[in-house]
Amino acid sequence: MGLVWLEDFTQRYGTIMSGALFGAAWWLWLDAVVHNAAVGVTVPPIAYMPGSVATVALLMINFIHREELSDYDPFSEGEDCGMRLWLFFSYVVSFGSLVSAVWIMVQDFARNEDLTSEEKWPGVAGVIQSFLILGSGLLFWLSRSPQNSGGGLLY
């Protein structure tokens, strides 16, 4: 009963905050890439992958409606299991993008002694980007109420 205000707040402002997190994630990444380009250091092409994969995972997470997961019928021919499996796979992909961002940061930026601390910013920005996109997807999925989910372009 005490968290009713939190549910109302997330349903009202959750999508806005989710979009702000998603925009901030890509803004930080683009800032890091442009900054390194201005300094004359190129970002390896593999460093672009975690953010792109996290964005695909965000879309995958939001293809599933919350009310479809709450209505469990043991005699439903596996539809519920398929949706739960899809959601699980979506989160595996999202966390995989976060792990790959950390891996790329350590391998290509943190252990590279030729780079100054300023030139290592894309590695840190990639991790922050993947984390913010994961948070954005989760917040967007939780903030859609059963009344207003459906009727949108992608959900």
Side-chain angles (χ1 to χ4, degrees):
M1 278 246 196
L3 295 178
V4 174
W5 65 272
L6 183 62
E7 185 176 338
D8 184 47
F9 181 79
T10 56
Q11 286 181 0
R12 185 171 298 164
Y13 300 111
T15 55
I16 296 169
M17 292 186 306
S18 173
L21 284 175
F22 184 78
W26 278 102
W27 184 270
L28 285 172
W29 173 248
L30 290 175
D31 173 63
V33 170
V34 169
H35 173 32
N36 268 22
V39 176
V41 178
T42 59
V43 176
I46 194 72
Y48 291 88
M49 289 303 296
S52 302
V53 171
T55 301
V56 170
L58 177 139
L59 293 174
M60 290 171 61
I61 288 168
N62 285 293
F63 283 149
I64 301 294
H65 299 282
R66 280 191 305 162
E67 65 270 4
E68 291 173 349
L69 294 175
S70 63
D71 299 334
Y72 179 69
D73 182 17
F75 306 107
S76 68
E77 301 292 327
E79 293 173 10
D80 295 328
C81 183
M83 287 184 287
R84 292 175 199 274
L85 189 63
W86 177 263
L87 189 63
F88 175 75
F89 180 69
S90 303
Y91 277 111
V92 167
V93 170
S94 186
F95 284 117
S97 72
L98 185 61
V99 168
S100 67
V102 171
W103 185 309
I104 290 169
M105 178 187 71
V106 170
Q107 181 180 358
D108 292 341
F109 295 100
R111 294 175 52 194
N112 191 348
E113 296 173 1
D114 296 335
L115 297 176
T116 64
S117 61
E118 223 175 61
E119 295 167 343
K120 294 180 181 183
W121 169 234
V124 176
V127 173
I128 294 171
Q129 176 196 29
S130 294
F131 182 74
L132 289 178
I133 292 174
L134 172 64
S136 172
L138 181 62
L139 182 62
F140 188 72
W141 188 72
L142 290 174
S143 65
R144 293 186 311 173
S145 66
Q147 295 88 7
N148 64 8
S149 65
L153 181 61
L154 292 176
Y155 57 93

Coordinates of all heavy atoms in Angstrom, one line a residue, residues 44 46-50 99-110 123:
P44 N 38.4 1.8 -31.9 CA 38.3 0.6 -32.7 C 36.8 0.3 -33.0 O 35.9 0.6 -32.2 CB 38.8 -0.5 -31.7 CG 39.0 0.2 -30.4 CD 38.9 1.6 -30.6
I46 N 35.1 -2.4 -33.0 CA 34.4 -3.3 -32.1 C 33.8 -2.6 -31.0 O 32.9 -3.1 -30.4 CB 35.4 -4.4 -31.7 CG1 34.6 -5.6 -31.0 CG2 36.4 -3.9 -30.7 CD1 33.9 -6.4 -32.0
A47 N 34.3 -1.4 -30.6 CA 33.8 -0.6 -29.5 C 32.4 -0.1 -29.7 O 31.7 0.3 -28.8 CB 34.7 0.5 -29.1
Y48 N 31.9 -0.1 -31.0 CA 30.6 0.4 -31.3 C 29.5 -0.7 -31.0 O 28.4 -0.4 -31.0 CB 30.5 0.8 -32.8 CG 31.3 2.0 -33.1 CD1 32.6 2.0 -33.5 CD2 30.7 3.3 -33.1 CE1 33.3 3.1 -33.8 CE2 31.4 4.4 -33.4 CZ 32.7 4.3 -33.7 OH 33.4 5.5 -34.0
M49 N 30.0 -2.0 -30.9 CA 29.0 -3.1 -30.8 C 28.2 -3.1 -29.5 O 27.0 -3.4 -29.6 CB 29.7 -4.4 -31.0 CG 30.2 -4.6 -32.5 SD 28.8 -4.5 -33.7 CE 27.9 -5.9 -33.2
P50 N 28.8 -2.9 -28.3 CA 27.9 -3.1 -27.1 C 26.7 -2.2 -27.1 O 25.6 -2.6 -26.7 CB 28.9 -2.8 -26.0 CG 30.2 -3.1 -26.5 CD 30.2 -2.7 -28.0
V99 N 28.7 -6.8 -20.4 CA 29.9 -7.6 -20.1 C 30.9 -7.3 -21.3 O 32.1 -7.1 -21.0 CB 29.6 -9.1 -20.0 CG1 30.9 -9.9 -20.1 CG2 28.9 -9.3 -18.7
S100 N 30.4 -7.3 -22.5 CA 31.3 -7.0 -23.6 C 31.9 -5.6 -23.6 O 33.0 -5.3 -24.0 CB 30.6 -7.3 -24.9 OG 29.6 -6.3 -25.2
A101 N 31.1 -4.6 -23.1 CA 31.6 -3.2 -22.9 C 32.7 -3.2 -21.9 O 33.7 -2.5 -22.1 CB 30.4 -2.3 -22.5
V102 N 32.6 -3.9 -20.8 CA 33.6 -3.9 -19.8 C 34.9 -4.6 -20.4 O 36.0 -4.1 -20.2 CB 33.1 -4.7 -18.5 CG1 34.3 -4.9 -17.6 CG2 32.1 -3.9 -17.8
W103 N 34.7 -5.7 -21.1 CA 35.8 -6.4 -21.7 C 36.5 -5.5 -22.7 O 37.8 -5.4 -22.7 CB 35.2 -7.6 -22.5 CG 36.3 -8.5 -23.1 CD1 37.3 -8.1 -23.9 CD2 36.4 -9.9 -22.9 NE1 38.1 -9.2 -24.2 CE2 37.5 -10.3 -23.6 CE3 35.6 -10.8 -22.2 CZ2 37.9 -11.7 -23.7 CZ3 36.0 -12.2 -22.3 CH2 37.2 -12.5 -23.0
I104 N 35.8 -4.8 -23.5 CA 36.4 -3.9 -24.5 C 37.2 -2.7 -23.8 O 38.3 -2.3 -24.2 CB 35.4 -3.4 -25.5 CG1 35.0 -4.5 -26.4 CG2 35.9 -2.2 -26.3 CD1 33.8 -4.2 -27.3
M105 N 36.6 -2.2 -22.7 CA 37.2 -1.1 -22.0 C 38.5 -1.6 -21.4 O 39.6 -0.9 -21.5 CB 36.3 -0.7 -20.8 CG 37.0 0.4 -20.0 SD 36.1 0.9 -18.5 CE 36.3 -0.6 -17.5
V106 N 38.6 -2.8 -20.8 CA 39.8 -3.3 -20.2 C 40.8 -3.7 -21.3 O 42.0 -3.3 -21.2 CB 39.5 -4.5 -19.3 CG1 40.8 -5.2 -18.9 CG2 38.7 -4.1 -18.1
Q107 N 40.4 -4.4 -22.3 CA 41.3 -4.8 -23.4 C 41.9 -3.7 -24.2 O 43.1 -3.7 -24.5 CB 40.6 -5.9 -24.2 CG 41.6 -6.5 -25.3 CD 40.8 -7.5 -26.1 OE1 39.7 -7.8 -25.9 NE2 41.5 -8.0 -27.1
D108 N 41.0 -2.8 -24.7 CA 41.4 -1.9 -25.7 C 41.8 -0.5 -25.1 O 42.5 0.3 -25.8 CB 40.3 -1.6 -26.8 CG 40.1 -2.9 -27.6 OD1 41.0 -3.7 -27.7 OD2 39.1 -3.0 -28.3
F109 N 41.3 -0.2 -23.9 CA 41.6 1.1 -23.4 C 42.4 1.1 -22.1 O 43.4 1.8 -22.0 CB 40.3 1.9 -23.2 CG 39.6 2.2 -24.5 CD1 38.5 1.4 -24.9 CD2 39.9 3.2 -25.3 CE1 37.8 1.6 -26.1 CE2 39.3 3.5 -26.5 CZ 38.3 2.7 -26.9
A110 N 42.0 0.4 -21.1 CA 42.6 0.4 -19.8 C 44.0 -0.1 -19.8 O 44.9 0.4 -19.2 CB 41.8 -0.3 -18.8
G123 N 36.3 4.0 -23.6 CA 36.1 2.7 -22.9 C 35.1 2.9 -21.7 O 34.2 2.1 -21.6

